[in-house]
Amino acid sequence: MSSTDQDRWKPLPLADVIDVFRGSPFRWWVVGGVALELHTGRSWREHADVDIGVSGRDLGALWTVLKPWDPHVAANDTLTPWTGGPLSPAAHENGLWCRSTPDSAWQFEVLVDGSTRTEWIYRRDPAVRRPWGEAILTTDAGVPYLAPDLTLLFKSRHVREKDTIDAAEVIPELTEDQRHNLVTLLPSGHAWQTLL
């Protein structure tokens, strides 16, 4: 995808993205930096977009939700219109950029993983699995989001300045179990180990 595509983002407000998915007949959850803010109940930086996680087994139902939009598969620096067909994890087809019309800016992204009916599975290492009740938490308002230790695990791979800011804000608020999980999952020499 071109730098023009990457620059053409005008993210929907979180509440509007939630409205897109509310009542969907499949499991969905907020991911990324926004998920960390849902967990802590406070904000500390701007966000370039809102990301939603879903399981690849729910693509048929997801297509029903996204059909009114203009979804594209974002993989290998290319954007390809998505018409509801299968995605190839081997080809890194795990992100769907969505916009309301072909002429509008991109408004939200859907990240697709290989989770099962009983377990959330970390896309980058399928050996990392959690029961849904541990992986997906819910705000008092009923909004599902990826648990903070798992969100930070995603952010730990290619650390950007904003990821380190997020880690410094969130790690002190992790539960003992979440902290233990993250200590175990991060490489021993990872810079965030000192925060844990």
Side-chain angles (χ1 to χ4, degrees), residues 5-193:
D5 288 321
Q6 293 179 345
D7 292 340
R8 289 193 65 223
W9 275 87
K10 186 176 180 183
L12 278 181
L14 175 60
D16 292 346
V17 177
I18 290 168
D19 284 344
V20 171
F21 289 89
R22 191 184 306 278
S24 296
F26 55 87
R27 190 187 307 271
W28 61 273
W29 55 95
V30 178
V31 299
V34 176
L36 296 175
E37 293 192 353
L38 288 174
H39 182 74
T40 61
R42 58 189 176 82
S43 179
W44 52 87
R45 66 174 178 85
E46 295 292 322
H47 296 279
D49 62 357
V50 175
D51 301 328
I52 299 293
V54 300
S55 171
R57 65 184 173 79
D58 293 320
L59 288 181
L62 176 65
W63 170 243
T64 301
V65 170
L66 296 184
K67 193 186 299 188
W69 296 80
D70 182 37
H72 282 60
V73 180
N76 303 311
D77 295 324
T78 303
L79 288 166
T80 307
W82 184 58
T83 55
L87 300 177
S88 170
H92 306 290
E93 294 181 347
N94 50 47
L96 297 170
W97 288 16
C98 303
R99 58 189 176 185
S100 55
T101 70
D103 296 324
S104 63
W106 301 106
Q107 294 168 289
F108 62 92
E109 183 173 9
V110 179
L111 300 173
V112 180
D113 67 26
S115 297
T116 69
R117 293 197 183 282
T118 58
E119 291 180 309
W120 174 86
I121 299 175
Y122 181 42
R123 177 170 48 83
R124 295 174 179 159
D125 181 359
V128 178
R129 298 166 177 248
R130 294 288 183 274
W132 283 113
E134 293 178 19
I136 306 302
L137 308 180
T138 307
T139 67
D140 291 342
V143 179
Y145 63 92
L146 187 63
D149 51 326
L150 301 176
T151 298
L152 289 172
L153 176 62
F154 267 107
K155 287 174 161 285
S156 70
R157 185 170 180 188
H158 301 294
V159 177
R160 302 158 295 183
E161 181 181 0
K162 66 181 181 179
D163 300 320
T164 297
I165 291 170
D166 289 347
E169 290 286 339
V170 176
I171 285 175
E173 299 188 29
L174 295 179
T175 66
E176 186 175 338
D177 286 345
Q178 291 166 343
R179 186 180 293 261
H180 174 75
N181 287 340
L182 193 56
V183 166
T184 303
L185 294 170
L186 289 180
S188 60
H190 195 283
W192 294 355
Q193 290 284 9

